[in-house]
Amino acid sequence: AQFNVQLPIGHGQALLGNVSRPLDLIVGGWQFSGFLHIASGPRFDVYSGVSLLNNGQGNRPNRLCSGKISHPTIQKWFDGSCFVDDQVPETYGNAGINPLHSDGLQQLDSSLMKTLSLSERIKLEVRADLFNTFNHPNFAAPDSTVNDGSTGQVFGTSVDQRRSQFG
């Protein structure tokens, strides 16, 4: 969702409506805009480190239970004990494709800006942009290789930390 709001501050506005002209040049005429990104987490696959297929392909693990946990953390995003290596030669494991979800996306990118009239034809825009305004961590998919010692652990984020630019 995208939005743009004229802040109600300065001459003729709800806040500081009777402010002097010099102060109005500083506090009045600001706009706030933002772009809110919200999405559910993408699905991810669980992999087996063992392949007895004899065809050069990797194999899928066998799925014993759902693997979903009620309150995932970066130390344990899913229950890795629900997936085991398929040990039967020349057969595929029963785990489906992309059976689990990684972290969703919640991010606000925002801008605070003001246009100054330097003359009738010359205008100057002053702005500050923040990407991932609240520095919210959106986690990447966890390690999903069965029995590799870090199965279910998250080691990164899917978006950058907060970045800012001024101009």
Side-chain angles (χ1 to χ4, degrees):
Q2 184 177 354
F3 57 89
N4 190 20
V5 177
Q6 177 77 32
L7 298 181
I9 302 171
H11 185 71
Q13 299 293 325
L15 300 172
L16 301 174
N18 295 326
V19 71
S20 67
R21 175 84 174 130
L23 190 55
D24 187 51
L25 289 172
I26 297 169
V27 299
W30 288 94
Q31 291 182 5
F32 179 76
S33 65
F35 192 78
L36 182 63
H37 313 262
I38 298 176
S40 62
R43 299 181 78 86
F44 67 92
D45 220 345
V46 179
Y47 301 96
S48 174
V50 174
S51 179
L52 303 174
L53 294 174
N54 198 25
N55 64 2
Q57 292 180 342
N59 198 354
R60 297 195 172 283
N62 284 318
R63 189 174 187 180
L64 307 176
C65 52
S66 78
K68 297 176 185 173
I69 58 177
S70 57
H71 300 289
T73 66
I74 60 172
Q75 289 79 26
K76 187 173 183 179
W77 196 263
F78 69 95
D79 185 357
S81 67
C82 289
F83 298 89
V84 296
D85 291 320
D86 182 50
Q87 300 291 337
V88 180
E90 300 180 11
T91 62
Y92 288 95
N94 67 7
I97 296 172
N98 299 324
L100 300 170
H101 286 89
S102 60
D103 192 22
L105 175 68
Q106 304 89 32
Q107 179 179 333
L108 173 67
D109 297 335
S110 58
S111 297
L112 184 63
M113 67 201 99
K114 177 181 177 126
T115 302
L116 301 168
S117 294
L118 301 178
S119 71
E120 191 173 307
R121 295 181 359 176
I122 300 174
K123 300 196 184 316
L124 174 68
E125 182 178 75
V126 177
R127 69 183 299 141
D129 298 319
L130 294 171
F131 304 97
N132 194 5
T133 303
F134 298 115
N135 207 24
H136 182 272
N138 296 287
F139 298 113
D143 179 327
S144 58
T145 301
V146 174
N147 296 326
D148 75 350
S150 58
T151 304
Q153 294 180 23
V154 177
F155 294 101
T157 57
S158 60
V159 297
D160 291 337
Q161 63 188 7
R162 181 188 309 120
R163 291 176 292 132
S164 58
Q165 65 185 23
F166 302 94

